[in-house]
Amino acid sequence: MRPGSHRQWQRCCYHSGVTGSTDIFPPRALSTVFLDRDGVLNRKLPEGRYVTTWSEFHPLPGVPQAIARLNRAGLRLIVVSNQRGIALGLYSADDVRNIHAALQTWLHAHGAHIDAFYFCPHDNLQCNCRKPLPGLFQQARADFPQIDAASSVMIGDSLSDIEFGHRLGMKTVYIEGGPSHQKPGTEAARHLADRAFPSLPDATNALLAHLAPSNPKA
Ligand SMILES: [Mg+2]
Ligand SMILES: [Zn+2]
């Protein structure tokens, strides 16, 4: 594709998304919610620090309740997480699996669960699975062939999360966090995302408010 035609495509779709009837949020047939992990489910550590053990995983307020509500609405919940700290030698893939197992146990105690976890263990420019590249979506769809981007939402707190969802054709939700958590790319992410909310519980309220008529359990 010529560079010029790509720009034209973006301009076209941006405008039709804002003004046209295609800007349905969430999609009417919402079935899958893709969740970033750090900064969405748990407190993001200061830049350059990584969650290496369950004791460093500090869930954000209201997260298990929000996940339980999304579960009860019949939505499939998939965590997709860049874990570059593995490539840097700061922790191992098994450490990440142990954290996810502990998170799942903790969620179960709150009547909630995640359907599957996928993570990229690579550094920049080494793979096809570091968001915003699509590999983690492809892994999820290999395990859950019913997954369809058009009926999915990506929720994340980084520009790479929003680009990941947007490129795949999902609706996107940017989690802004507090004023002290403003990151590079915040403005671009807010602009590109379909919606922005301070937290996962706020995003959940918005998703389920739209779904309420057909999902009475939510
Ligand atoms: Mg994040
Ligand atoms: Zn990767």
Side-chain angles (χ1 to χ4, degrees):
M1 191 191 303
R2 286 176 295 112
S5 64
H6 180 62
R7 249 195 323 277
Q8 180 63 40
W9 177 85
Q10 284 184 322
R11 203 157 46 230
C12 155
C13 293
Y14 169 72
H15 284 296
S16 65
V18 169
T19 58
S21 59
T22 54
D23 184 27
I24 297 165
F25 177 87
R28 286 212 175 98
L30 179 63
S31 63
T32 304
V33 179
F34 285 87
L35 296 163
D36 174 46
R37 196 191 81 180
D38 302 321
V40 174
L41 304 184
N42 56 294
R43 185 159 16 107
K44 195 176 166 70
L45 297 178
E47 202 57 44
R49 287 197 51 213
Y50 295 82
V51 176
T52 65
T53 66
W54 173 242
S55 65
E56 293 170 334
F57 189 100
H58 304 294
L60 289 163
V63 160
Q65 294 81 7
I67 291 176
R69 292 181 66 203
L70 294 167
N71 290 147
R72 288 197 301 272
L75 300 172
R76 183 185 296 112
L77 300 189
I78 307 275
V79 168
V80 285
S81 180
N82 284 350
Q83 292 297 328
R84 178 172 172 257
I86 297 171
L88 299 179
L90 301 174
Y91 50 90
S92 69
D94 277 342
D95 291 332
V96 172
R97 291 188 194 98
N98 288 336
I99 290 167
H100 293 168
L103 170 60
Q104 191 76 292
T105 299
W106 182 79
L107 287 172
H108 280 149
H110 289 81
H113 71 274
I114 298 292
D115 291 282
F117 294 86
Y118 300 92
F119 59 90
C120 165
H122 308 113
D123 206 339
N124 296 316
L125 308 175
Q126 290 184 348
C127 66
N128 185 44
C129 60
R130 181 168 168 81
K131 294 174 291 181
L133 298 175
L136 297 181
F137 175 80
Q138 292 161 354
Q139 289 178 32
R141 202 162 52 179
D143 292 339
F144 302 90
Q146 322 87 306
I147 288 178
D148 160 39
S151 61
S152 298
V153 169
M154 173 69 207
I155 302 180
D157 74 322
S158 295
L159 178 58
S160 60
D161 298 316
I162 304 307
E163 287 181 335
F164 168 83
H166 185 75
R167 289 180 190 179
L168 286 160
M170 301 183 205
K171 294 298 180 187
T172 54
V173 173
Y174 182 55
I175 300 298
E176 302 190 302
S180 61
H181 292 82
Q182 295 296 298
K183 305 159 289 261
T186 292
E187 275 310 314
R190 197 182 279 140
H191 181 76
L192 184 62
D194 292 290
R195 293 291 187 277
F197 297 101
S199 69
L200 179 62
D202 292 308
T204 297
N205 288 340
L207 283 172
L208 296 185
H210 286 75
L211 292 180
S214 55
N215 293 261
K217 286 183 297 178

